Each structure stands twice: as C-alpha cells, then as structure tokens.
Amino acid sequence: MGGSKAYPYGSTAAVRGHVLTALGVLRVATADQVRQLMCPGHQDNKAVRNASLDLARHGLALSEDSTRQGQKLWRACPPDHVRVGGARTAVS
C-alpha cells in the first residue's frame, strides 16, 4: 500500500470511477472483467483491484464471494445501505 490516507491502495479517481461504472452495469464482476471492459490498456488488473479495495474501504463496493478460480467477485453496495462504524448496513 502506498497511497494517501483516504485511498491507501493508491488508486486513482479515474479507475475508481471505471470500477463503479462497470459494477453499476454488470452488478457483479471480477477485477479482470472490469479491466477488460473499462481499461483494456492496462496490462494487468492490479489498478482495478486497488481501486476496488479503496472503494470497499469507503463502503462503496464489497466482495463477498469468489469464482471457482479464486478471483474475488466485486459488487457495488446498494444505495439503500449506510455506513455505520465503518461497515455498511441496510436502512429499514
């Protein structure tokens, strides 16, 4: 980790935006799928993984599952969730 205090994984606003856009359309995707769709010029999916981790830190994305090959599946947090003590919870 070598980013800022707010984004410790060092992701850029552009890549975070790409990740959120892709997850808004696809609902669930691996970092490699997001890279292929949104930033195919990147040689690997490290920037997308870092952006996903930074977004998760801010409660905007989460990974609750993985593929059979062990890749994390990412999804955007639903808008009806709010942050409570660093975690997101549903609003009733």
Side-chain angles (χ1 to χ4, degrees), residues 2-53:
S4 66
K5 195 170 194 171
Y7 300 104
Y9 291 94
S11 64
T12 64
V15 177
R16 289 191 303 271
H18 291 323
V19 171
L20 285 175
T21 300
L23 294 179
V25 173
L26 300 175
R27 302 291 185 230
V28 176
T30 66
D32 200 49
Q33 290 170 328
V34 173
R35 182 197 61 82
Q36 290 174 10
L37 179 66
M38 302 300 291
C39 31
H42 290 240
Q43 290 185 347
D44 60 30
N45 63 12
K46 182 69 174 168
V48 173
R49 290 193 329 259
N50 286 345
S52 299
L53 289 166

Side-chain angles (χ1 to χ4, degrees), residues 7 29 63 80 84:
Y7 300 104
S63 175
D80 62 341
V84 175

Side-chain angles (χ1 to χ4, degrees), residues 44-83:
D44 60 30
N45 63 12
K46 182 69 174 168
V48 173
R49 290 193 329 259
N50 286 345
S52 299
L53 289 166
D54 280 338
L55 290 168
R57 178 178 167 86
H58 289 276
L60 298 172
L62 67 112
S63 175
E64 295 179 319
D65 205 358
S66 60
T67 66
R68 291 181 187 176
Q69 295 78 26
Q71 293 180 320
K72 281 187 174 186
L73 287 170
W74 290 95
R75 67 180 177 95
C77 289
D80 62 341
H81 280 56
V82 294
R83 290 185 69 136

